[in-house]
């Protein structure tokens, strides 16, 4: 059983990742922390709470940072995920609220209360993790591991020719995370751009899981439309759920061990690059993936829901 905190900017593929984690028997979802990126932090917080309530779980949500650690905030990705984050689904007001702690405070407390046990899984910009390290650097030695959805080693970018969206939103924070000396796995575009799913895959979730599968199928329509227009294929990538799946099924991924740094200025801002000789500890960069097994595990797990 993996004790996981997902740091998230929900977001359509974030919803896939969170609902997968809620249903996966090998994950204890300790909490969610919210972050800007696909939407504002206010909307991300509301959506995160709505997702765990939809899954009928009492999971704490801690509100994260409103802006990057150093640079000015970038525009949120409403064109990709819709103004309210779940495509054309109307805003969902949760019954409960975020807890009083900030995301950074919650991460530090959870890690120190569960030494060596917490897996942090950021699937948005890395600001909250950088803030948590700033608040208490001791967490770096107490976390079990960190699985990042973000970056791209050799696959190019998706918001600029060289930068992936989560890193581009806060490259300074990402560089702090790759330098922190904890056990980091990067699930970036090198693998997530291989995991495509189709409208048929999501339509197939509605009958076995009318509530959760029905919601995902409705939300993902906007994501399909974006990819039809921008990328020219009838489907979407499964970025964030691939990262969560790598925590419970690392055997489905091949990794290359590389110290990494992030370019924080100039035309290549947000690019993740090899940093041999930097003295940084190596990150496990996912470079291979069993696409069918990852997609099937996601679809089977959501279908097992309600
Ligand atoms: C990442 O950016 C966001 O749009 C997605 O939710 C995912 O976390 C992919 O580049
Ligand atoms: Ca995300």
């Amino acid at each position: 059983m993996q004790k996981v905190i997902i740091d998230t900017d929900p977001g359509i593929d974030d919803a896939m990742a969170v609902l997968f984690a809620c249903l996966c028997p090998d994950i204890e979802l300790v909490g969610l922390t919210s972050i800007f990126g696909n939407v504002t932090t206010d909307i991300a917080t509301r959506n995160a709470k709505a997702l765990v309530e939809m899954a009928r779980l009492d999971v704490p949500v801690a509100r994260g940072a409103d802006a990057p650690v150093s640079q000015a905030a970038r525009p949120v990705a409403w064109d990709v995920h819709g103004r309210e984050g779940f495509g054309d689904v109307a805003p969902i007001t949760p019954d409960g609220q975020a807890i009083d702690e900030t995301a950074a405070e919650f991460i530090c407390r959870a890690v120190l209360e569960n030494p060596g046990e917490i897996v942090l899984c950021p699937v948005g910009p890395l600001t909250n993790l950088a803030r948590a390290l700033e608040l208490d650097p001791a967490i770096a030695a107490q976390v079990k591991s960190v699985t990042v959805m973000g970056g791209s080693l050799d696959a190019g970018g998706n918001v600029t020719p060289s930068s992936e969206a989560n890193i581009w939103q806060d490259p300074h924070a990402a560089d702090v995370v790759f330098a922190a000396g904890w056990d980091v796995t990067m699930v970036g575009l090198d693998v997530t751009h291989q995991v495509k799913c189709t409208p048929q895959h999501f339509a197939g979730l509605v009958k076995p899981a009318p509530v959760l599968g029905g919601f995902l199928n409705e939300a993902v329509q906007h994501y399909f439309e974006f990819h039809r227009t921008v990328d020219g294929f009838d489907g979407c990538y499964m970025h964030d759920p691939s990262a969560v799946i790598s925590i419970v099924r690392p055997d489905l991924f091949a990794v290359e061990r590389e110290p990494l740094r992030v370019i924080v200025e100039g035309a290549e801002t947000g690019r993740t690059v090899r940093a041999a000789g930097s003295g940084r500890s190596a990150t496990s960069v996912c470079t291979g993936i069993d696409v069918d097994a990852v997609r099937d595990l996601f679809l089977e797990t959501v279908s097992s829901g309600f």
Side-chain angles (χ1 to χ4, degrees):
M1 180 70 81
Q2 303 279 353
K3 292 187 179 184
V4 178
I5 295 175
I6 302 181
D7 184 62
T8 176
D9 57 337
I12 296 166
D13 62 322
D14 299 76
M16 299 177 201
V18 169
L19 293 180
F20 173 85
C22 289
L23 292 167
C24 176
D26 301 321
I27 290 178
E28 177 189 336
L29 189 58
V30 174
L32 299 181
T33 51
S34 62
I35 190 66
F36 61 86
N38 293 329
V39 288
T40 62
T41 304
D42 277 341
I43 294 179
T45 308
R46 179 199 70 193
N47 286 357
K49 191 67 187 169
L51 286 171
V52 289
E53 287 186 359
M54 192 187 301
R56 302 175 190 157
L57 291 182
D58 185 16
V59 168
V61 173
R63 189 181 192 286
D66 283 298
V69 293
S70 302
Q71 70 182 21
R74 310 260 197 206
V76 298
W78 62 264
D79 50 334
V80 187
H81 296 269
R83 295 261 175 209
E84 302 288 342
F86 296 147
D88 299 326
V89 175
I92 306 168
T93 305
D95 295 329
Q97 294 178 340
I99 60 175
D100 286 339
E101 287 171 303
T102 65
E105 289 167 348
F106 173 76
I107 288 170
C108 290
R109 182 173 61 80
V111 168
L112 297 180
E113 284 178 2
N114 299 272
E117 289 193 291
I118 297 288
V119 179
L120 298 177
C121 184
V123 295
L126 291 160
T127 319
N128 289 333
L129 268 68
R131 291 293 184 206
L133 284 165
E134 188 180 75
L135 189 63
D136 191 347
I139 64 167
Q142 299 292 332
V143 146
K144 180 176 184 186
S145 56
V146 181
T147 296
V148 175
M149 191 284 124
S152 170
L153 196 58
D154 294 313
N158 61 356
V159 280
T160 73
S162 51
S163 182
E164 181 281 328
N166 290 338
I167 308 296
W168 184 75
Q169 286 275 357
D170 194 346
H172 300 86
D175 196 53
V176 167
V177 168
F178 289 122
W182 45 14
D183 176 6
V184 183
T185 297
M186 182 176 108
V187 183
L189 301 182
D190 305 271
V191 289
T192 66
H193 267 178
Q194 299 179 47
V195 194
K196 293 179 185 171
C197 56
T198 64
Q200 290 72 31
H201 287 127
F202 277 81
L205 296 175
V206 178
K207 198 169 170 197
V211 175
L212 303 182
F215 161 75
L216 286 176
N217 183 51
E218 201 181 334
V220 81
Q221 299 306 320
H222 183 94
Y223 215 28
F224 291 144
E225 193 52 41
F226 174 82
H227 287 94
R228 270 181 214 117
T229 311
V230 173
D231 296 312
F233 72 93
D234 193 23
C236 69
Y237 301 114
M238 297 178 60
H239 299 291
D240 293 351
S242 297
V244 177
I245 287 171
S246 78
I247 296 168
V248 289
R249 291 296 307 272
D251 56 305
L252 300 179
F253 295 78
V255 300
E256 193 180 303
R257 300 270 300 156
E258 296 282 356
L260 295 181
R261 69 181 175 87
V262 179
I263 296 177
V264 296
E265 56 189 7
E268 295 203 314
T269 291
R271 182 173 175 191
T272 44
V273 293
R274 293 174 178 84
S278 63
R280 293 184 174 193
S281 56
T283 289
S284 297
V285 181
C286 292
T287 53
I289 184 168
D290 184 334
V291 173
D292 290 342
V294 167
R295 193 198 297 110
D296 288 351
L297 178 58
F298 171 79
L299 295 171
E300 281 161 17
T301 303
V302 175
S303 296
S304 75
F306 49 87

